[in-house]
Amino acid sequence: MKKLIAIIMTITLLAAVLAGCSSKKEAGGDAKAQSVEFPTKSINMIVGYSAGGSTDIFARLVAKYLEDLWGQTVVVTNVNGGGGAIGFTQTLQNKPDGYTVTISNGASLTIGASGNVDFTYQDFDNLGRMIIEDEVLLVSKDSPYTSLQDLIEDAKTNPGKLKVGFAGLGGFTHLAAAKFINDTGMKVGNIGYGSGSEAVVGVMGDFVDFCMQQPGEFASQFEAGELKALAIMSDERHPSDALANIPTAKEQGVDFATYQWRGISAPKGLPEEVKTKWEEALTEIANNPEFQAEVEEILLARVDCITGDEFESWLDSEDAWISPLMKELGLTEEK
């Protein structure tokens, strides 16, 4: 009788073990079965600015290539307000599942550093920087300055004589201009405008002596001969024929480079496999010659893609000069 009971218990135990193995295989399976299927539905791409601007155009360009790559619809949603802050805030209200992303740019750093919002760029999974837009220093067609050194020397010799125009107090172009002014030791007055195009008009009308803007804000006026470009703030000259003759600051003995940029970010906490799929997709798009040609032609920008940890480290290096400069300029709200 005892032997019979022992046999029954052994059989029962084996059955339990086998059932456990079977259920583990079903629940976990091999690596292929465990992989996340992504994307399986449409993507919402939030743009924190109105339709028609450079950020919106960039978003719709990336969306087109993502749709071709993934076979899913990418819906571009414009949420204007707060210089991008409302769009970033709305993005963070969504689940970190990869189906809601936003267009990140210089404002991702400046808005967070201002202290006026309860988030920073570190509250996002920053997936990739896709393009850069060079800052160009502009003067009017009748300006007496013919080189960057001419402008710098006059501003040093006559403190407060010159005025710089910029778009948006505390915005990226303001900070880029302020950094240039600080680094070169210039002493100038400041006049803020509501947009980059308004700052360009201010230069053309001689209301300000110079400004720094991305090509998309001034290309037509420059081609029409209404503006002179003294320097492009890049390590190399612009690839487009229209801007190729603008010398870099470094060519003129001024060691300075900065640029606006645009990329893709998502609420922090994405599954690793989803992050990887996003990073691989952005890299593949960036390497597409057709995408590169459209970026240069439509946005007068250049593709310069970095993803993942490299992108995060680069953002840290940008924040390292932006946050202190904002405090120095009194643009940070103390909490």
Side-chain angles (χ1 to χ4, degrees):
M1 183 69 178
K2 290 181 179 179
K3 287 184 178 180
L4 179 60
I5 292 173
I7 291 170
I8 292 172
M9 289 179 65
T10 301
I11 292 171
T12 303
L13 181 59
L14 285 170
V17 171
L18 290 171
C21 290
S22 175
S23 39
K24 281 181 183 178
K25 185 175 181 181
E26 289 174 6
D30 56 25
K32 186 176 180 181
Q34 288 180 331
S35 66
V36 175
E37 289 188 28
F38 179 89
T40 59
K41 60 182 182 180
S42 64
I43 305 290
N44 183 24
M45 184 177 287
I46 295 176
V47 177
Y49 307 90
S50 57
S54 296
T55 305
D56 177 69
I57 293 170
F58 165 74
R60 294 178 190 278
L61 190 57
V62 174
K64 179 181 72 171
Y65 282 88
L66 276 174
E67 288 181 340
D68 291 343
L69 186 62
W70 280 342
Q72 297 290 346
T73 301
V74 180
V75 180
V76 176
T77 305
N78 296 92
V79 185
N80 192 26
I86 295 177
F88 292 139
T89 300
Q90 184 168 313
T91 300
L92 290 172
Q93 293 170 349
N94 288 271
K95 291 194 302 182
D97 56 9
Y99 288 99
T100 300
V101 296
T102 190
I103 304 302
S104 46
N105 57 13
S108 304
L109 297 163
T110 59
I111 291 173
S114 72
N116 294 321
V117 295
D118 58 1
F119 64 82
T120 72
Y121 72 97
Q122 295 173 327
D123 291 302
F124 293 84
D125 275 332
N126 298 295
L127 301 169
R129 184 193 74 193
M130 298 281 294
I131 68 170
I132 58 176
E133 297 178 54
D134 299 307
E135 297 286 336
V136 179
L137 193 145
L138 304 163
V139 296
S140 72
K141 64 178 182 180
D142 298 320
S143 171
Y145 307 115
T146 59
S147 73
L148 193 58
Q149 289 291 0
D150 289 345
L151 178 75
I152 293 171
E153 289 305 317
D154 193 16
K156 287 181 176 180
T157 305
N158 302 286
K161 170 189 171 185
L162 305 186
K163 294 183 178 61
V164 60
F166 57 83
L169 184 67
F172 184 80
T173 54
H174 175 206
L175 293 176
K179 187 175 190 298
F180 171 75
I181 290 164
N182 281 5
D183 287 1
T184 54
M186 299 169 66
K187 302 294 182 183
V188 303
N190 298 276
I191 296 183
Y193 290 91
S195 66
S197 59
E198 290 178 17
V200 169
V201 171
V203 170
M204 291 169 56
D206 293 323
F207 297 107
V208 292
D209 297 283
F210 70 101
C211 73
M212 280 173 52
Q213 283 298 324
Q214 298 98 37
E217 300 287 358
F218 67 81
S220 59
Q221 296 96 324
F222 179 69
E223 290 182 22
E226 297 297 324
L227 295 163
K228 289 193 295 187
L230 297 187
I232 188 166
M233 305 304 178
S234 176
D235 292 321
E236 58 190 32
R237 293 199 178 197
H238 201 276
S240 70
D241 292 339
L243 305 175
N245 290 328
I246 303 173
T248 67
K250 293 184 177 182
E251 286 178 53
Q252 302 177 70
V254 181
D255 187 13
F256 184 84
T258 189
Y259 41 78
Q260 178 61 280
W261 56 273
R262 305 190 198 279
I264 306 291
S265 297
K268 199 172 191 68
L270 295 187
E272 284 301 317
E273 288 189 55
V274 173
K275 283 179 66 176
T276 298
K277 290 189 176 186
W278 264 106
E279 290 167 13
E280 289 175 347
L282 296 181
T283 301
E284 184 171 342
I285 292 170
N287 289 333
N288 187 326
E290 293 181 6
F291 176 75
Q292 295 170 4
E294 288 195 82
V295 165
E296 182 178 325
E297 179 183 354
I298 299 171
L299 291 169
L300 288 172
R302 67 182 92 201
V303 175
D304 191 338
C305 184
I306 54 175
T307 62
D309 291 342
E310 185 181 3
F311 183 30
E312 296 280 8
S313 295
W314 180 80
L315 287 171
D316 290 340
S317 68
E318 286 288 283
D319 182 62
W321 70 263
I322 286 175
S323 287
L325 182 57
M326 290 189 70
K327 288 182 180 179
E328 179 185 330
L329 296 173
L331 299 173
T332 300
E333 181 178 307
E334 298 295 336
K335 293 184 178 180

